[in-house]
Amino acid sequence: MTINLKVKQEKRKGLSINDIQDGYFILRNDDVRIVKMDVTNRNKIHLIDLKTFHVKTVSTKSELKSLFEDWSRIKILSPKQVNLNIGFQWKD
């Protein structure tokens, strides 16, 4: 499976943890996670890893921040800032 994520435009200041919304992307090096806010409980945040499709759920934004070791190396991108292509290749 190939994942191609191109950043179309980065904001000068960048987005902070308080800006995170449903559909946003969290990038750390080559790891890309999609943010999915829980519809039944707005405090729960589901993070979907695009390499493995594993889902990690956190209860608060502070728990989200503690999930990543060095928050200064994290990029938060809105869906309007990226172009995402996922390609699947079937093997026998």
Side-chain angles (χ1 to χ4, degrees), residues 18-48:
N18 295 325
D19 298 320
I20 290 178
Q21 296 178 26
D22 192 40
Y24 275 45
F25 295 88
I26 297 178
L27 283 73
R28 184 178 72 185
N29 301 327
D30 290 338
D31 295 330
V32 180
R33 290 180 175 86
I34 296 177
V35 175
K36 178 65 181 153
M37 304 301 264
D38 195 314
V39 290
T40 58
N41 184 351
R42 291 294 292 168
N43 290 333
K44 285 190 177 181
I45 302 168
H46 305 290
L47 301 172
I48 305 163

Side-chain angles (χ1 to χ4, degrees), residues 31-79:
D31 295 330
V32 180
R33 290 180 175 86
I34 296 177
V35 175
K36 178 65 181 153
M37 304 301 264
D38 195 314
V39 290
T40 58
N41 184 351
R42 291 294 292 168
N43 290 333
K44 285 190 177 181
I45 302 168
H46 305 290
L47 301 172
I48 305 163
D49 188 329
L50 286 184
K51 280 188 180 177
T52 62
F53 291 104
H54 289 181
V55 177
K56 172 76 176 167
T57 302
V58 294
S59 299
T60 62
K61 288 185 179 179
S62 61
E63 188 179 337
L64 171 64
K65 193 170 184 175
S66 67
L67 180 66
F68 297 99
E69 296 167 5
D70 185 8
W71 193 256
S72 64
R73 299 180 72 192
I74 300 296
K75 285 185 182 180
I76 300 169
L77 300 171
S78 74

Side-chain angles (χ1 to χ4, degrees), residues 5-9 25 77-84:
L5 181 88
K6 288 187 178 179
V7 178
K8 291 194 268 186
Q9 175 185 1
F25 295 88
L77 300 171
S78 74
K80 292 180 180 180
Q81 291 177 270
V82 299
N83 183 10
L84 176 67

